[in-house]
Amino acid sequence: MAQSLVVSAQEMDSQMQCAARVREGFPGRTYHIVTYGCQMNAHDSENLAGMLEEMGFAPAAQEEADLVLFNTCCIRDNAERRLLGNVSALSQRKREKPDLLIGVCGCMMQQAGGAQRLLSLCPFVDLVFGTHNLYRLPELLLSALSGQKVLAIGGDERGRIPEGLPVKRASAIQGSLTIMYGCNNFCTYCIVPYVRGRERSRRLADIVREAEEMASAGIQEILLLGQNVNSYDGGATFPELLRALDGVVPRIRFMTSHPKDLSDALIAEMARSRSVCPQFHLPVQSGSDKVLREMNRVYTRAHYLERVRALRQAVPDVGLTTDIIAGFPGETEADFQDTLSLVEEVQYDSAFTFIYSPRAGTRAAAREDFVPPQVQHERLDRLIALQETATARALRSQVGSVQQVLIEGASRRREGYLAGRTGRGMTVNFPGPSSLIGKLVFVRILGTGANTLRGEIAQGECSK
Ligand code: SAH
Ligand code: SF4
Ligand code: F3S
């Protein structure tokens, strides 16, 4: 088992004592969190909110808050640029209200030089901390409230696991549960291993307990989170963890899986499990063996396609989604054609498509054979167009079936309509009363919209 580096109970206690001092010494304050990046960061923000409310802070709109906290991402250049723009825009308000506290945390702050870059542009920021110091928010905030400038970006670069952090969940229906932190894969384009530390898995018992707590709070769907969930190693394998969680809540999803670790045991567990939804996010990144090798993805196109076939054989209605990078250094038109043909062959339900963005300190960023931006954009456009036809086809394939849908809320588009997702992860809009929000119902699929399905509530059996 990978070494578990759980933060000690004494250390968590001393954070709770700091929280009590904030609560008593600085009552009646408000906060606002701005989150960038992936689901991991969104869930970190739920922990940040949980800690702040433990300290007596109440949520508020950004314009009214006493503390504005930015939880940052640095996966691509545009995430960083947006952050710098939005923090800079607060300089005026900070001048008008000097006791406004501005904090910046998360991946970009953990990145080498990230905090310095921010502070040279925005010297008025009061509080900076990285991913390894998230659980220390009470201690850090206490210092900032006492008038100190706080910079906490150190810590064990392998990272540690804070158990028992308070959490304020964004939804009462669906919730995220982190099963492992960090990444060991060092794909040559990716900054994540540098800012999230080495892989470390939570103990099976801790995960099961949290899932049970979520179930008793009424949560219907749990999203298991990790950069690479199928290398989970917390005293059990990932399929064993899924087995232990089966039936705890009606629905379980997970992300992200690495194709190199997609085992037969995981496929078998997916086919067997009552709770695991027939949806699989399996980032491919490229369809070219040469590019995959240069990305250090450790699988070939043939291996990936074989795994997709095995998965579909065991779980015939599985919905596949993926991530793809266009314009990786050295990618030729022929390499890109391999990506298009793979996308054509797999027929994903949807794909997140990105233009390669060099990240300082990664191996690919040191290359000199960058693909010119206009070529990258043109490839991205072709990829998106191809995926749109596959998405439309996948949606159409559902018309006429009856699907189990978890109702997530009122439809944003139409009065009197509800919106929810099928097991496969497709959004469905249908008429119904708001009293059904949070419930699982059967919906007959009648037609398709741009990226969604239309339906009506059906009685009786689900065609799965
Ligand atoms: N751990 C996950 C996802 C990590 S980041 C995985 O391995 O799949 C999410 C996606 O961002 C990646 O799958 C990749 O497609 C994209 N990405 C990561 N670094 C990038 C970069 N430097 N430029 C463009 N896209 C990138
Ligand atoms: Fe990044 Fe690769 Fe790790 Fe995913 S598996 S987080 S893409 S290094
Ligand atoms: Fe996620 Fe961005 Fe960090 S994608 S792990 S928030 S760099």
Side-chain angles (χ1 to χ4, degrees):
M1 175 182 160
Q3 196 187 1
S4 168
L5 293 151
V6 179
V7 178
S8 72
Q10 294 92 304
E11 199 165 340
M12 294 307 279
D13 273 355
S14 98
Q15 292 302 326
M16 283 298 117
Q17 282 159 22
C18 291
R21 287 173 60 194
V22 172
R23 198 165 54 234
E24 283 146 26
F26 304 90
R29 306 271 171 137
T30 57
Y31 75 94
H32 185 86
I33 302 176
V34 183
T35 308
Y36 301 86
C38 62
Q39 252 127 342
M40 205 71 97
N41 249 24
H43 187 45
D44 283 348
S45 288
E46 294 184 330
N47 285 130
L48 292 165
M51 287 187 272
L52 286 166
E53 300 207 358
E54 187 76 32
M55 291 185 265
F57 277 61
Q62 184 172 326
E63 306 71 52
E64 272 128 46
D66 300 310
L67 163 69
V68 181
L69 184 55
F70 293 89
N71 190 9
T72 62
C73 170
C74 53
I75 196 84
R76 285 169 291 274
D77 182 49
N78 52 7
E80 289 194 5
R81 267 183 292 136
R82 266 196 307 148
L83 179 269
L84 294 174
N86 290 346
V87 180
S88 305
L90 279 183
S91 67
Q92 175 67 21
R93 227 193 114 211
K94 177 79 181 174
R95 269 196 298 275
E96 290 161 11
K97 178 177 157 57
D99 65 345
L100 168 71
L101 276 186
I102 301 174
V104 186
C105 64
C107 291
M108 186 184 163
M109 297 303 99
Q110 198 65 59
Q111 190 187 6
Q116 287 75 0
R117 217 162 42 249
L118 168 78
L119 290 170
S120 66
L121 264 164
C122 307
F124 53 86
V125 169
D126 304 283
L127 168 66
V128 171
F129 57 100
T131 55
H132 298 325
N133 292 294
L134 177 130
Y135 71 93
R136 291 176 59 211
L137 177 63
E139 170 201 341
L140 304 175
L141 186 59
L142 183 61
S143 303
L145 286 164
S146 318
Q148 288 174 39
K149 227 179 179 28
V150 178
L151 177 65
I153 51 173
D156 189 335
E157 75 93 20
R158 288 172 300 172
R160 294 202 287 162
I161 301 178
E163 284 297 344
L165 280 184
V167 59
K168 190 199 177 200
R169 298 193 177 278
S171 157
I173 302 167
Q174 297 157 307
S176 298
L177 198 176
T178 303
I179 63 163
M180 61 180 296
Y181 298 87
C183 181
N184 291 351
N185 291 319
F186 289 94
C187 301
T188 57
Y189 49 82
C190 185
I191 196 73
V192 170
Y194 301 88
V195 297
R196 288 274 172 176
R198 295 294 64 73
E199 280 177 9
R200 53 221 187 265
S201 297
R202 289 178 69 193
R203 291 172 298 221
L204 180 78
D206 292 330
I207 296 171
V208 172
R209 188 181 24 79
E210 186 171 346
E212 285 169 351
E213 283 165 13
M214 292 167 83
S216 10
I219 284 180
Q220 301 291 308
E221 181 177 303
I222 291 183
L223 175 63
L224 303 176
L225 285 181
Q227 291 301 343
N228 192 4
V229 287
N230 45 7
S231 50
Y232 172 78
D233 180 20
T237 64
F238 185 57
E240 287 164 353
L241 171 66
L242 290 180
R243 176 73 63 112
L245 293 174
D246 195 19
V248 173
V249 283
R251 281 184 163 189
I252 294 175
R253 300 183 198 272
F254 53 84
M255 74 185 297
T256 298
S257 305
H258 195 298
K260 76 177 165 59
D261 299 320
L262 174 45
S263 65
D264 288 338
L266 174 54
I267 292 176
E269 185 53 32
M270 261 196 105
R272 197 205 60 82
S273 171
R274 288 167 296 155
S275 297
V276 173
C277 291
Q279 181 195 8
F280 214 105
H281 184 61
L282 195 61
V284 69
Q285 314 299 357
S286 168
S288 148
D289 280 338
K290 183 199 90 188
V291 174
L292 287 172
R293 201 168 48 244
E294 292 176 3
M295 287 177 162
N296 191 31
R297 288 293 287 181
V298 220
Y299 54 83
T300 59
R301 172 194 178 97
H303 174 79
Y304 184 93
L305 290 171
E306 184 280 321
R307 292 287 77 192
V308 166
R309 275 193 297 274
L311 189 56
R312 283 206 164 125
Q313 196 161 26
V315 190
D317 56 344
V318 70
L320 284 167
T321 59
T322 200
D323 295 346
I324 301 173
I325 297 177
F328 183 78
E331 183 189 74
T332 62
E333 175 60 24
D335 294 324
F336 181 66
Q337 288 294 337
D338 287 344
T339 297
L340 292 179
S341 71
L342 181 135
V343 168
E344 180 69 43
E345 182 167 343
V346 175
Q347 293 288 315
Y348 295 105
D349 281 4
S350 64
F352 298 96
T353 50
F354 309 105
I355 284 181
Y356 168 73
S357 169
R359 305 285 72 208
T362 61
R363 264 164 57 205
R367 291 177 63 151
E368 283 167 3
D369 49 353
F370 290 123
V371 175
Q374 75 275 16
V375 177
Q376 289 183 309
H377 280 98
E378 179 268 331
R379 285 183 189 163
L380 184 76
D381 290 345
R382 278 191 281 160
L383 186 57
I384 291 172
L386 179 63
Q387 182 51 47
E388 275 171 2
T389 59
T391 298
R393 194 175 299 154
L395 290 167
R396 278 198 308 274
S397 76
Q398 304 295 293
V399 175
S401 70
V402 175
Q403 300 290 329
Q404 193 195 52
V405 172
L406 175 60
I407 304 178
E408 297 175 5
S411 164
R412 266 173 283 159
R413 303 232 187 96
R414 221 167 140 180
E415 188 81 9
Y417 273 62
L418 301 171
R421 273 188 311 149
T422 66
R424 192 162 157 162
M426 294 173 173
T427 298
V428 196
N429 294 295
F430 52 95
S434 55
S435 57
L436 288 178
I437 292 171
K439 302 258 181 341
L440 281 155
V441 295
F442 292 124
V443 174
R444 177 167 296 104
I445 308 303
L446 300 175
T448 64
N451 278 304
T452 56
L453 298 168
R454 275 185 305 105
E456 64 183 12
I457 294 180
Q459 307 297 328
E461 280 302 287
C462 175
S463 59
K464 169 108 185 191

